[in-house]
Amino acid sequence: MKTLFIYEKTNSLIELKEAFNKKNISVESIEIGKLGLLTEGKETTLITNSIKIEDFDSCFLGAGVQFTRIVEPLLDEFSQKGIYCQVKPDAYTILSNKAFQLTTLNSHGIKTPNTSVFGSAFFINSSLKEFRFPLLLQVFDGYKKIQDVLVESEKSLLSIVKSIKSDFDVLLLQKFFRKDLDVSVIIGEKVFTVRRNWNKERFEYTKKGSSMTLSESENENLIKACKVIGTEIAEVKSIDGHIVSLKPLIDFSYFQEVLGKNLFESVAEFFEGKLK
């Protein structure tokens, strides 16, 4: 069995390779920034010095949503050639757009915070009476979040919106929960959760957090959210059963420090099951 690692950063790469090797899965890796795709007619091929897609049984993709344009045709190629990847075609398109992500989850009956989406600040004034504060304001330019701030009143909202100088694609106003934040890693059907408590005095979440076991229904909801988006391995943030965000990159070192569990082995075990 042979797996291709396509990665963005070298963090945790050595540990992940070792975990795969222990499962008798050989690994080759390539940095996504050095990867190219050539499309001729209906054929798409990797542009590298030595790697051929056909040589691999699976691919572990460790890249952020900023690489969506190169990732999506690559995922299509994996799918056509029967090469397993933990992320399915179109998943990055959804993940790279926060509004699209929330809408997709909602359409499948998965709870998310009440959210208003604006393409222009001009329309916010006419909607002020509908808002209940505090609100979380997030501004995106494409996949990139350019502003993330807690708004506590109508006056502060108007002031913040007026101060936005740069162009943006989407502005989100989202219900804010004064409750603990659960950050979970989903690996297939397994869920590993860290709870970051809400600090009322500082009006923020604790940085480190502690190990937490969610209820069976909460775990099922997180797993379903990943499947709806199209990924079997992801990091999901949730508050009081509401999905706040979902991303493909996992901070393995953070979860290992807090939980004391080797998630590299869990990923390798999951891939081993898929390949067998």
Side-chain angles (χ1 to χ4, degrees), residues 6 9 25 32 44 50 53-54 63 65 108 125 128 131 164-165 169 174 185 199 204 249 251 258 262 266-267:
I6 298 178
K9 300 176 181 178
I25 304 174
I32 193 167
T44 301
S50 58
I53 291 180
E54 294 81 2
V65 295
H108 287 80
N125 285 330
L128 283 175
F131 300 143
I164 300 173
K165 303 297 183 183
D169 293 321
Q174 194 171 75
V185 171
N199 189 313
E204 64 182 15
L249 278 181
D251 187 347
V258 178
N262 191 330
S266 296
V267 172

Side-chain angles (χ1 to χ4, degrees), residues 3 52 104 113 131 184 232:
T3 293
K52 295 181 180 179
T104 301
F131 300 143
S184 304
E232 295 184 281

Side-chain angles (χ1 to χ4, degrees), residues 3 13 24 26 34 50 54 56 60 66 81 99 122 147 152 159 165 184 188 222 226 240 257 260 262-264 268:
T3 293
L13 187 63
N24 294 317
S26 62
K34 297 177 180 178
S50 58
E54 294 81 2
F56 297 91
F60 178 81
Q66 68 270 31
K81 286 182 164 55
F122 175 79
Q147 193 149 6
E152 298 186 68
S159 176
K165 303 297 183 183
S184 304
L222 297 179
C226 289
D240 194 32
E257 178 186 354
N262 191 330
L263 298 190
F264 304 112

Side-chain angles (χ1 to χ4, degrees), residues 1-3 5 15-27 190 262-276:
M1 295 183 289
K2 195 172 183 180
T3 293
F5 284 179
E15 294 94 332
L16 199 56
K17 277 186 176 182
E18 289 176 349
F20 272 67
N21 290 159
K22 287 179 181 178
K23 298 294 181 181
N24 294 317
I25 304 174
S26 62
V27 172
K190 293 183 178 180
N262 191 330
L263 298 190
F264 304 112
E265 291 182 355
S266 296
V267 172
E269 186 178 275
F270 175 72
F271 265 72
E272 180 187 34
K274 287 291 180 180
L275 293 177
K276 285 185 176 179

Side-chain angles (χ1 to χ4, degrees), residues 187-220:
I187 303 174
E189 300 294 321
K190 293 183 178 180
V191 180
F192 305 89
T193 301
V194 171
R195 173 160 290 181
R196 295 174 58 189
N197 296 115
W198 174 247
N199 189 313
K200 295 180 181 179
E201 286 70 34
R202 293 189 174 186
F203 220 65
E204 64 182 15
Y205 298 109
T206 54
K207 294 186 185 299
K208 186 173 180 180
S210 57
S211 177
M212 179 67 189
T213 301
L214 300 178
S215 68
E216 185 176 343
S217 61
E218 287 176 307
N219 285 339
E220 289 175 353

